[in-house]
Amino acid sequence: MRDAQGMMAKRLEVKYLVDRTRRTALARDLSALMRPDVHAGPDGTYAVRSLYFDTPDYMAYHSKLAGEAVRHKLRARVYSNDPEHADLVRLEVKSRYLSSVRKIATFVTREEYREIERAFENGTLPAGELLAKHEGLREFFRLQKLY
């Protein structure tokens, strides 16, 4: 597992329904332990724009709906109200293996992302230097080519 900048993480996701009373108490307790996200606006929120990559027959979408135990999701994200002007693009590979979730992500510049888009459109790989610079990008294109 790497830190947030190394961008590789393994985690177990467990989701719960919480009623309003517990939510209020939970929010109070968590606010005593946690700091607000430094990227959030005054209202505590920020915009996230995601672009999901899938096969022509929507394999990732259907494997998610079917609850398949092993599946992969490829996406590009920007944290901005205006995706065209975001300086950085976060590329993510999110893989589920039974109950374990592994996420590999890397930030690329807008210029690097344009090169990655061209590679996608042409069915090729981006330049070797770009793949070497961003470890997560290698896994992103490995899965893209596999599927």
Side-chain angles (χ1 to χ4, degrees), residues 1-2 7-15 52 64 73 75 77 79 90 92-105:
M1 182 184 288
R2 295 190 185 116
M7 304 309 251
M8 184 183 290
K10 182 177 179 182
R11 68 181 185 211
L12 174 65
E13 286 186 10
V14 180
K15 297 177 183 177
Y52 290 84
K64 167 73 173 171
K73 183 179 350 185
R75 66 183 168 210
R77 282 193 160 164
Y79 298 88
R90 179 180 162 120
E92 298 180 355
V93 175
K94 186 175 179 183
S95 300
R96 174 174 292 278
Y97 302 96
L98 302 173
S99 63
S100 181
V101 175
R102 182 181 114 189
K103 188 186 289 187
I104 299 173

Tab-separated table of all heavy atoms in Angstrom, residues 1-2 7-15 52 64 73 75 77 79 90 92-105:
chain	number	residue	atom	x	y	z
A	1	MET	N	0.846	-1.170	0.000
A	1	MET	CA	0.000	0.000	0.000
A	1	MET	C	0.895	1.237	0.000
A	1	MET	O	1.866	1.293	0.720
A	1	MET	CB	-0.894	-0.005	1.236
A	1	MET	CG	-1.829	1.173	1.248
A	1	MET	SD	-2.837	1.286	2.716
A	1	MET	CE	-3.959	-0.044	2.468
A	2	ARG	N	0.559	2.199	-0.838
A	2	ARG	CA	1.315	3.447	-0.891
A	2	ARG	C	0.471	4.568	-0.313
A	2	ARG	O	-0.721	4.435	-0.135
A	2	ARG	CB	1.668	3.771	-2.340
A	2	ARG	CG	2.600	2.765	-2.918
A	2	ARG	CD	3.116	3.238	-4.262
A	2	ARG	NE	3.914	2.163	-4.787
A	2	ARG	CZ	3.620	1.492	-5.874
A	2	ARG	NH1	2.589	1.802	-6.588
A	2	ARG	NH2	4.376	0.502	-6.267
A	7	MET	N	-0.328	6.643	-4.633
A	7	MET	CA	-1.603	6.326	-5.224
A	7	MET	C	-1.889	4.849	-5.449
A	7	MET	O	-2.572	4.513	-6.384
A	7	MET	CB	-1.773	7.078	-6.541
A	7	MET	CG	-1.615	8.569	-6.401
A	7	MET	SD	-2.648	9.189	-5.099
A	7	MET	CE	-3.835	10.038	-6.060
A	8	MET	N	-1.375	3.996	-4.644
A	8	MET	CA	-1.809	2.607	-4.718
A	8	MET	C	-2.390	2.278	-3.348
A	8	MET	O	-1.792	2.572	-2.332
A	8	MET	CB	-0.659	1.660	-5.036
A	8	MET	CG	-1.133	0.228	-5.211
A	8	MET	SD	0.183	-0.942	-5.500
A	8	MET	CE	0.705	-0.477	-7.121
A	9	ALA	N	-3.570	1.712	-3.345
A	9	ALA	CA	-4.208	1.421	-2.066
A	9	ALA	C	-4.965	0.111	-2.160
A	9	ALA	O	-5.437	-0.278	-3.215
A	9	ALA	CB	-5.171	2.552	-1.703
A	10	LYS	N	-5.047	-0.554	-1.039
A	10	LYS	CA	-5.874	-1.750	-0.935
A	10	LYS	C	-6.782	-1.514	0.253
A	10	LYS	O	-6.335	-1.102	1.317
A	10	LYS	CB	-5.007	-2.983	-0.707
A	10	LYS	CG	-5.808	-4.260	-0.644
A	10	LYS	CD	-4.906	-5.462	-0.485
A	10	LYS	CE	-5.744	-6.718	-0.407
A	10	LYS	NZ	-4.913	-7.893	-0.209
A	11	ARG	N	-8.048	-1.747	0.054
A	11	ARG	CA	-8.980	-1.492	1.147
A	11	ARG	C	-10.137	-2.455	1.061
A	11	ARG	O	-10.407	-3.041	0.018
A	11	ARG	CB	-9.464	-0.047	1.105
A	11	ARG	CG	-10.336	0.229	-0.089
A	11	ARG	CD	-10.788	1.657	-0.131
A	11	ARG	NE	-11.715	1.803	-1.239
A	11	ARG	CZ	-11.872	2.877	-1.925
A	11	ARG	NH1	-11.152	3.927	-1.634
A	11	ARG	NH2	-12.733	2.938	-2.895
A	12	LEU	N	-10.812	-2.573	2.148
A	12	LEU	CA	-12.021	-3.376	2.221
A	12	LEU	C	-13.170	-2.392	2.389
A	12	LEU	O	-13.173	-1.601	3.328
A	12	LEU	CB	-11.954	-4.336	3.406
A	12	LEU	CG	-13.212	-5.140	3.686
A	12	LEU	CD1	-13.500	-6.093	2.530
A	12	LEU	CD2	-13.056	-5.910	4.971
A	13	GLU	N	-14.118	-2.412	1.473
A	13	GLU	CA	-15.260	-1.508	1.548
A	13	GLU	C	-16.427	-2.230	2.191
A	13	GLU	O	-16.798	-3.320	1.768
A	13	GLU	CB	-15.683	-1.050	0.149
A	13	GLU	CG	-14.763	-0.058	-0.472
A	13	GLU	CD	-15.320	0.464	-1.796
A	13	GLU	OE1	-16.497	0.197	-2.134
A	13	GLU	OE2	-14.556	1.148	-2.486
A	14	VAL	N	-16.979	-1.618	3.203
A	14	VAL	CA	-18.188	-2.117	3.836
A	14	VAL	C	-19.132	-0.930	3.941
A	14	VAL	O	-18.752	0.124	4.458
A	14	VAL	CB	-17.904	-2.696	5.244
A	14	VAL	CG1	-19.177	-3.212	5.881
A	14	VAL	CG2	-16.849	-3.789	5.172
A	15	LYS	N	-20.339	-1.082	3.426
A	15	LYS	CA	-21.287	0.026	3.413
A	15	LYS	C	-22.471	-0.303	4.307
A	15	LYS	O	-22.914	-1.451	4.369
A	15	LYS	CB	-21.744	0.301	1.983
A	15	LYS	CG	-20.571	0.728	1.108
A	15	LYS	CD	-20.970	0.939	-0.315
A	15	LYS	CE	-19.732	1.297	-1.124
A	15	LYS	NZ	-20.018	1.460	-2.532
A	52	TYR	N	-15.736	7.270	-17.591
A	52	TYR	CA	-15.491	5.842	-17.453
A	52	TYR	C	-15.169	5.238	-18.814
A	52	TYR	O	-15.816	5.552	-19.803
A	52	TYR	CB	-16.705	5.139	-16.841
A	52	TYR	CG	-16.891	5.504	-15.386
A	52	TYR	CD1	-17.565	6.659	-15.029
A	52	TYR	CD2	-16.354	4.707	-14.387
A	52	TYR	CE1	-17.715	7.016	-13.691
A	52	TYR	CE2	-16.502	5.044	-13.057
A	52	TYR	CZ	-17.173	6.198	-12.716
A	52	TYR	OH	-17.315	6.541	-11.394
A	64	LYS	N	-20.393	-5.042	-13.073
A	64	LYS	CA	-20.774	-4.353	-11.832
A	64	LYS	C	-22.218	-4.698	-11.470
A	64	LYS	O	-22.515	-5.054	-10.330
A	64	LYS	CB	-20.595	-2.843	-12.018
A	64	LYS	CG	-21.223	-1.985	-10.947
A	64	LYS	CD	-20.470	-2.036	-9.668
A	64	LYS	CE	-21.054	-1.022	-8.689
A	64	LYS	NZ	-20.524	-1.160	-7.373
A	73	LYS	N	-12.490	-1.404	-13.250
A	73	LYS	CA	-13.089	-0.172	-13.730
A	73	LYS	C	-11.955	0.796	-14.053
A	73	LYS	O	-11.044	0.987	-13.253
A	73	LYS	CB	-13.986	0.407	-12.633
A	73	LYS	CG	-14.728	1.635	-13.019
A	73	LYS	CD	-15.642	2.211	-11.941
A	73	LYS	CE	-15.877	1.397	-10.716
A	73	LYS	NZ	-16.852	1.958	-9.793
A	75	ARG	N	-11.140	4.766	-15.169
A	75	ARG	CA	-11.767	6.077	-15.268
A	75	ARG	C	-10.740	7.190	-15.225
A	75	ARG	O	-9.629	7.015	-14.724
A	75	ARG	CB	-12.825	6.266	-14.194
A	75	ARG	CG	-12.298	6.302	-12.781
A	75	ARG	CD	-13.455	6.427	-11.793
A	75	ARG	NE	-12.978	6.180	-10.440
A	75	ARG	CZ	-13.706	5.663	-9.481
A	75	ARG	NH1	-14.966	5.340	-9.694
A	75	ARG	NH2	-13.205	5.465	-8.292
A	77	ARG	N	-10.590	11.248	-13.951
A	77	ARG	CA	-11.317	12.191	-13.089
A	77	ARG	C	-10.618	13.537	-13.048
A	77	ARG	O	-9.392	13.600	-13.060
A	77	ARG	CB	-11.390	11.667	-11.653
A	77	ARG	CG	-12.412	10.620	-11.450
A	77	ARG	CD	-12.651	10.378	-9.991
A	77	ARG	NE	-13.934	9.722	-9.857
A	77	ARG	CZ	-14.342	9.092	-8.786
A	77	ARG	NH1	-13.579	9.047	-7.730
A	77	ARG	NH2	-15.525	8.526	-8.753
A	79	TYR	N	-11.095	17.242	-10.722
A	79	TYR	CA	-11.742	17.856	-9.565
A	79	TYR	C	-11.890	19.339	-9.874
A	79	TYR	O	-11.082	20.161	-9.461
A	79	TYR	CB	-10.915	17.612	-8.300
A	79	TYR	CG	-10.811	16.136	-7.996
A	79	TYR	CD1	-9.804	15.359	-8.543
A	79	TYR	CD2	-11.754	15.515	-7.192
A	79	TYR	CE1	-9.716	13.999	-8.282
A	79	TYR	CE2	-11.687	14.148	-6.928
A	79	TYR	CZ	-10.667	13.407	-7.474
A	79	TYR	OH	-10.593	12.061	-7.226
A	90	ARG	N	-6.753	12.757	-13.044
A	90	ARG	CA	-6.437	11.561	-12.256
A	90	ARG	C	-6.942	10.342	-13.018
A	90	ARG	O	-8.142	10.221	-13.289
A	90	ARG	CB	-7.100	11.654	-10.886
A	90	ARG	CG	-6.860	10.466	-9.994
A	90	ARG	CD	-7.581	10.696	-8.667
A	90	ARG	NE	-7.751	9.476	-7.951
A	90	ARG	CZ	-7.246	9.250	-6.740
A	90	ARG	NH1	-6.545	10.181	-6.136
A	90	ARG	NH2	-7.459	8.113	-6.131
A	92	GLU	N	-7.499	6.321	-12.968
A	92	GLU	CA	-7.669	5.315	-11.936
A	92	GLU	C	-7.990	3.946	-12.534
A	92	GLU	O	-8.720	3.852	-13.512
A	92	GLU	CB	-8.829	5.679	-11.002
A	92	GLU	CG	-8.640	6.961	-10.238
A	92	GLU	CD	-9.829	7.275	-9.334
A	92	GLU	OE1	-10.851	6.538	-9.368
A	92	GLU	OE2	-9.741	8.253	-8.591
A	93	VAL	N	-7.447	2.947	-11.896
A	93	VAL	CA	-7.834	1.561	-12.132
A	93	VAL	C	-8.354	1.059	-10.795
A	93	VAL	O	-7.623	1.035	-9.807
A	93	VAL	CB	-6.632	0.692	-12.573
A	93	VAL	CG1	-7.052	-0.766	-12.686
A	93	VAL	CG2	-6.031	1.195	-13.866
A	94	LYS	N	-9.616	0.706	-10.771
A	94	LYS	CA	-10.206	0.183	-9.540
A	94	LYS	C	-10.579	-1.265	-9.819
A	94	LYS	O	-11.356	-1.557	-10.731
A	94	LYS	CB	-11.443	0.993	-9.152
A	94	LYS	CG	-12.025	0.602	-7.813
A	94	LYS	CD	-13.169	1.531	-7.439
A	94	LYS	CE	-13.784	1.158	-6.118
A	94	LYS	NZ	-14.936	2.019	-5.790
A	95	SER	N	-9.999	-2.167	-9.058
A	95	SER	CA	-10.213	-3.595	-9.266
A	95	SER	C	-10.787	-4.216	-8.006
A	95	SER	O	-10.372	-3.889	-6.900
A	95	SER	CB	-8.892	-4.293	-9.607
A	95	SER	OG	-8.346	-3.745	-10.786
A	96	ARG	N	-11.735	-5.086	-8.205
A	96	ARG	CA	-12.321	-5.830	-7.088
A	96	ARG	C	-11.942	-7.291	-7.251
A	96	ARG	O	-12.084	-7.862	-8.329
A	96	ARG	CB	-13.834	-5.689	-7.075
A	96	ARG	CG	-14.502	-6.571	-6.023
A	96	ARG	CD	-15.969	-6.344	-5.906
A	96	ARG	NE	-16.289	-5.043	-5.360
A	96	ARG	CZ	-16.296	-4.751	-4.054
A	96	ARG	NH1	-15.999	-5.664	-3.173
A	96	ARG	NH2	-16.608	-3.553	-3.642
A	97	TYR	N	-11.445	-7.870	-6.168
A	97	TYR	CA	-11.143	-9.296	-6.084
A	97	TYR	C	-11.878	-9.811	-4.856
A	97	TYR	O	-11.431	-9.565	-3.734
A	97	TYR	CB	-9.642	-9.540	-5.956
A	97	TYR	CG	-8.849	-8.958	-7.101
A	97	TYR	CD1	-8.248	-7.708	-6.979
A	97	TYR	CD2	-8.710	-9.643	-8.307
A	97	TYR	CE1	-7.530	-7.159	-8.029
A	97	TYR	CE2	-7.997	-9.101	-9.355
A	97	TYR	CZ	-7.409	-7.859	-9.212
A	97	TYR	OH	-6.704	-7.309	-10.260
A	98	LEU	N	-13.023	-10.436	-5.070
A	98	LEU	CA	-13.903	-10.883	-3.989
A	98	LEU	C	-14.296	-9.672	-3.149
A	98	LEU	O	-14.901	-8.751	-3.660
A	98	LEU	CB	-13.243	-11.996	-3.183
A	98	LEU	CG	-12.837	-13.231	-4.005
A	98	LEU	CD1	-12.043	-14.208	-3.160
A	98	LEU	CD2	-14.055	-13.906	-4.612
A	99	SER	N	-13.921	-9.610	-1.872
A	99	SER	CA	-14.308	-8.478	-1.037
A	99	SER	C	-13.203	-7.430	-0.928
A	99	SER	O	-13.356	-6.442	-0.223
A	99	SER	CB	-14.691	-8.963	0.365
A	99	SER	OG	-13.572	-9.557	0.987
A	100	SER	N	-12.103	-7.634	-1.612
A	100	SER	CA	-10.991	-6.694	-1.550
A	100	SER	C	-11.012	-5.760	-2.764
A	100	SER	O	-11.250	-6.199	-3.882
A	100	SER	CB	-9.675	-7.482	-1.530
A	100	SER	OG	-8.585	-6.607	-1.457
A	101	VAL	N	-10.770	-4.489	-2.511
A	101	VAL	CA	-10.739	-3.493	-3.578
A	101	VAL	C	-9.336	-2.914	-3.659
A	101	VAL	O	-8.744	-2.543	-2.640
A	101	VAL	CB	-11.752	-2.358	-3.312
A	101	VAL	CG1	-11.627	-1.255	-4.351
A	101	VAL	CG2	-13.165	-2.918	-3.287
A	102	ARG	N	-8.815	-2.866	-4.865
A	102	ARG	CA	-7.478	-2.292	-5.095
A	102	ARG	C	-7.645	-1.129	-6.066
A	102	ARG	O	-8.285	-1.257	-7.101
A	102	ARG	CB	-6.561	-3.335	-5.695
A	102	ARG	CG	-5.142	-2.837	-5.909
A	102	ARG	CD	-4.289	-3.912	-6.524
A	102	ARG	NE	-3.942	-3.445	-7.854
A	102	ARG	CZ	-3.348	-4.147	-8.771
A	102	ARG	NH1	-3.060	-5.408	-8.545
A	102	ARG	NH2	-3.055	-3.651	-9.928
A	103	LYS	N	-7.095	0.004	-5.689
A	103	LYS	CA	-7.165	1.173	-6.550
A	103	LYS	C	-5.752	1.652	-6.845
A	103	LYS	O	-4.953	1.833	-5.936
A	103	LYS	CB	-7.961	2.293	-5.903
A	103	LYS	CG	-8.218	3.456	-6.849
A	103	LYS	CD	-8.881	4.633	-6.168
A	103	LYS	CE	-10.301	4.324	-5.821
A	103	LYS	NZ	-11.010	5.517	-5.304
A	104	ILE	N	-5.470	1.815	-8.111
A	104	ILE	CA	-4.203	2.397	-8.550
A	104	ILE	C	-4.561	3.679	-9.281
A	104	ILE	O	-5.415	3.666	-10.170
A	104	ILE	CB	-3.430	1.452	-9.491
A	104	ILE	CG1	-3.090	0.150	-8.778
A	104	ILE	CG2	-2.162	2.134	-10.002
A	104	ILE	CD1	-2.484	-0.906	-9.685
A	105	ALA	N	-3.942	4.762	-8.904
A	105	ALA	CA	-4.252	6.038	-9.537
A	105	ALA	C	-2.987	6.846	-9.724
A	105	ALA	O	-2.022	6.695	-8.975
A	105	ALA	CB	-5.242	6.812	-8.674
